[in-house]
Amino acid sequence: MLRRLLGVFRRRRLDEELAGELEFHLEELEAQHRARGLSADEARRAARLDLGGLARVAEEYRDQQRIPLVDTAWRTATFAIRSLARTPGVTAAVAVTLALGIGANAAIFAVVNGVLLEPLPFPDAGSLVAVNHGMTGTADELPSAPYLYFTYRDENRSFDGVGLWRIRPVNITGRDRPEQVRALYVTSEVLPVLGIRPLLGRQFSRRDDSPNAPATVMLTYGYWQRRFGGDPSIVGGKLIVDGQTQDVVGVMPRGFNFLDNQVDVIAPLQLDPAQVTLGRYVFPSVARLKAGVTLAEASADIARMVPLALARFQPPPGYTRERFAARPVTPRLVPLKDTVVGNIGGTLWVVMGALALVLLIACANVANLLLVRTEARQGELAIRAALGASRARIAGELLAESVILSLVGGTLGLLLAHQALLGMKALAPGNLPRVDAITMNPLVFLFTLVLSLVSGVLFGLLPIVRYTKPQLAAALRTGTRSMSDSPERHRARALLVTCQVAIALVLLVSSGLMLRTFRALGHVDPGFVRPGEVQLARITIPFGEVPDPERATRMQHDILSRLVEVPGVVSAAFADIAPLDPANAGSDTVLFVDGRTYAPGQARPLRRFEFISPGVFRTLGTPIVAGRDLAWTDFYDKRPVALVSEDLARDEWQSPAAALGKRVRASPGDPWREVVGVVGNVHDNGMHLDPPRIVYFPSLMDKFWGAPTIAFQSATFLIRSPIAGTDGFVRGVQAAVWAVNSNLPVAEVRTLDDAYQKSLAGTAFTLVLLAMAGGMGLLLGAIGIYGVIAYVVSQRAGEIGVRLALGAQPGQVRRQFLREGLTLTAAGVAAGLVAATVLTRVMSSLLFGVSPLDPLTYALVTLVLVVVAMAAAYLPARRASRHDPVQALRG
Amino acid sequence: MAKQVLQGTLDLMVLRTLETMGPQHGFGLARRILQVSQGLLDLNQGTLYPALLRLEQRGWIKWRWATSDNNRKAKMYELTARGRKQIVREAASWERTVSVMDRFLRHPARSEK
């Protein structure tokens, strides 16, 4: 069988072999006959007779060579290719149109597949969950807490393992240059739960988790390569992390990706069960469900364990157990993948829908082109039918042409998709999760193949249905001289164009709405001014190196004093976290306000805490609405003071002025702190969300959260300068920091504008993709209108000639065809407007500051579409009016 | 049907000829088959070649390039092990056919009731 299949392709060689054999046979026969006394000619003739008909033998031989069905398919395909090659213009137009449509869809499918469909890169990733929690009275989702972790670890019936983790920056010193890296702290269960074994050395055991165990650390593959050149002898060596010497026990394998977080080193999260109290919801948790356990069963298990946890651990100082018991946490298990992918799904499905519409327009265009092409070949088809070609055979050939066209388009589309993916990855760093998982894998190829075949059949069927009906006589008669189009056929094309215009309108409306959203976001006052002038840099003074909070703060103060001396610096300050840092999200907590009481079980609103130096608002350009900024004397004298944001002041005390002198604290055990100033709102969660209510505390305080003295030793420095972001400026900042302490790395160097742009990037990304879809839709729709009008003009060349000869003005003729274009456009616009009002509701979650039914967008889009459509119709209409009547009449 | 070659019989003839005479080229096979059938067979010698291809595709014969007596390159066909088995199987089935036909020709009435 295989040989026969091969025979289809090895035909030429086999034919040659046969010819050789037959020739040999003939010569032998001839020799035989000559030996019997025949002359040379007679011998040759006799030999031929003996052998039989050469052609028949060759045919029989060939039949034996191959399989009839495959052969027919092959012949049909070659016929179709030859026929396509005869009209290179149409073929190229169709292939390019399809390449655009299919390529765009292949690219977005690769993204959807990589981001949404592919499982996380862990064995049996489907059973991994994030153990999050809800709390009665708030909509917020809390991560896990140590007291819950120890209870779940010891009491659960649903997990194969549950662990806690946390990521924070650490300083690596003792090597040529101090460096800040990202450390993943994990309890010993986390890596086994994920199912990842180390490449070298060992992973952590329960022993590494205990508070007085020797300090250990693992390296990720990337960091191992970058800093140690992949030297395996590092396992067993030492690494100085935050001033503490730690044993390197292992290296993680290449490709280990911890939930899309960039991680350099991994260290044990050491928690002492004896010290653990209730609360402290700051640790994300990951668990693996036992085989066969559902999310609902695991949730029930957690609900059972929460009371056990409340009974097992003590409340923190100043709190009562009743306070925790009144508002217990509720289970909120989330598939681990959902926590990585986030809410990008909505955007991707909308974009995918938009691109599917583009492909539909492209198919409509192609169907139209093929209709015209088949029409031109009607004579040929009729003659072939008359000569006995079956209807099935002709239909098969037409279908083969469409499918070959779509496959060519699909192949070109794959190349386009490859390029588009590179562009998309460059465009979307940080706001598209799981970028590493986006590849042109076999599934994407399969998708493209199926898409090509389906579109090939889709647009290929139309000409078949129209033209394989036996209409011999009519076709042969009209074949010689073109007459006006039959109304029925014109209707088919007009319907296609109307659909195209309608779809293009939907696409344009959706990209128009995104554009309005983007502009609305740009007009939101972020709460700071000229972010491009604010340099951000993260500097961490390790606790191991400077254990005294006051000394650490003085060191930060010294750094600020040096920074303001750097040429070009206007002002400088620091905060525990910069505005718009994604690390802010979800860290909000309760604030106690003097004189305000809540009924048991009533939710206290969550507030954001930020810990700052003096001068932050001067540096950001945030106005001080009432009162004053913090001063260094507040720090060193440990004055109990705080600032609040404007909206917080309004929420609690109705006006900023009324807030001054009021008192707040972070926990019941703390002293009251006086509000000494009210500052403008900052859109810390992104421009599309309300500004959070923020309390600003000095970064050095006594008796906060029950601690005797705390200082925020890891802080982001904000430095305003007109030359922020330049290499020279960053070097100056570095030199200023190292003049204070040469062991301090300067990390996460960027400007506030980078953070600001990044907060808009999600919308910008959607906007660019939808605008591309809209642009393609508009272009293809315009081509569609142009094609139909041009065709009508060419069909009516005779009629136009007659009218011009009888004295019709060119303007009249032009208007006639423009009117025809306008009718098509108007019908499409009407249908599109109706469709858009329904379809744009899908994207309402992506919009900001604009209604899905925004009249301005709809009006402008309609105008643009009509103008473009008129331009597309104008070109052929003008040509019609310039017909030379004599030419037309003769033709 | 006197002088026509029955479908399938040519295959057996070729196999059997190769078995008795050893490797042969196409012309040699044709000559030998005509000799043995003593002119009773009206064989278009060309028909032999599609048959050879068929036998090769079924794996019963194989071929290699060789030099003929008059120093020309020609395909030399020979039997494969599977081809030998096929001869036994085909010969048996052929004999069965012959004996069944034989019985019909002698006592035609007995088989129809």
Side-chain angles (χ1 to χ4, degrees), chain A residues 380-439:
Chain A
E380 171 207 330
L381 296 181
I383 289 170
R384 289 188 49 209
L387 292 179
S390 70
R391 202 180 149 190
R393 171 130 196 193
I394 292 179
E397 274 163 16
L398 289 179
L399 196 60
E401 285 179 23
S402 320
V403 170
I404 285 169
L405 276 173
S406 68
L407 288 178
V408 169
T411 311
L412 291 175
L414 275 179
L415 297 176
L416 273 180
H418 179 70
Q419 288 304 315
L421 278 189
L422 293 182
M424 221 183 289
K425 284 188 185 184
L427 186 74
N431 55 71
L432 192 60
R434 305 188 66 197
V435 167
D436 297 342
I438 301 173
T439 51

Side-chain angles (χ1 to χ4, degrees), chain A residues 71 81 91 113 132 145 202 204 219 248 281 428-429 438 499 520 550 560 605 617 663 755 776 860:
Chain A
D71 197 52
I81 288 170
T91 304
N113 178 49
N132 290 347
R202 65 171 179 94
F204 302 129
L219 309 180
V248 178
Y281 302 98
I438 301 173
C499 291
E550 189 154 341
L560 285 183
F617 305 106
R663 302 192 302 166
M776 280 159 78
L860 277 179

Side-chain angles (χ1 to χ4, degrees), chain A residues 43 51 123 167 262 275 294 310 392 394 397 420 520 525 611 730 776 851:
Chain A
L51 193 62
I167 289 176
Q262 195 252 315
Q275 305 275 320
T294 63
L310 284 171
I394 292 179
E397 274 163 16
D525 174 12
F611 304 89
V730 171
M776 280 159 78
S851 143

